[in-house]
Amino acid sequence: SSEKSSVEMVKRQVEERPFRSFDEFKEYWKEMLKTPFWTHTSTIAIEEDEPDRFKFHVTECLWAQTFEELGAPQIGYLVCCQPDYATARVYHPKICMTRTKTLMQGDKYCDPAYVWKE
């Protein structure tokens, strides 16, 4: 359910602003990370900005904090984190996301990386 609603949300975003290149996608994310929504809910730093790779670290996350306080980080992962994999391809078919760490799973940071696959 969460994945389906996330995919639908990204589909609407892409309809309004389709990405023709990875550079356009990266610029979109750089703009998004500066918005009040993101600056008030997360602490995020860009770690890599390469022609075919864009990675950031999330060291604070309101959702991870909330689900941890509720004693339900595993539910938080399924609701908030897992859908990221499905939404990556919705942004553009050549984009995939990888992640090895999440705050929801007890790591010190999340490390999503978006990769442009030719």
Side-chain angles (χ1 to χ4, degrees):
S1 172
S2 180
E3 184 174 299
K4 183 178 178 180
S5 65
S6 295
V7 164
E8 290 304 316
M9 180 185 69
V10 171
K11 280 182 182 178
R12 286 189 301 275
Q13 290 171 341
V14 171
E15 285 174 3
E16 293 174 16
R17 183 179 178 175
F19 303 110
R20 294 180 303 270
S21 70
F22 195 52
D23 284 336
E24 288 181 6
F25 172 79
K26 293 187 299 181
E27 287 307 311
Y28 167 80
W29 267 103
K30 290 174 191 176
E31 290 171 17
M32 290 291 293
L33 295 177
K34 294 177 187 175
T35 64
F37 175 82
W38 287 100
T39 60
H40 289 100
T41 61
S42 308
T43 301
I44 301 173
I46 296 171
E47 295 293 316
E48 294 179 46
D49 186 355
E50 303 296 328
D52 62 350
R53 186 173 169 84
F54 185 64
K55 180 178 181 178
F56 45 91
H57 282 181
V58 181
T59 54
E60 293 178 296
C61 170
L62 177 63
W63 298 275
Q65 177 185 344
T66 301
F67 279 98
E68 180 64 33
E69 289 171 2
L70 293 170
Q74 67 281 15
I75 295 171
Y77 178 83
L78 293 172
V79 170
C80 299
C81 306
Q82 186 65 31
D84 294 344
Y85 294 99
T87 60
R89 288 262 190 233
V90 177
Y91 285 115
H92 193 283
K94 292 184 179 181
I95 295 175
C96 69
M97 191 205 73
T98 62
R99 183 172 47 218
T100 62
K101 300 178 182 338
T102 69
L103 292 164
M104 290 281 192
Q105 294 173 309
D107 295 305
K108 298 215 182 285
Y109 58 89
C110 301
D111 65 346
Y114 291 91
V115 179
W116 183 265
K117 300 273 188 177
E118 286 299 329

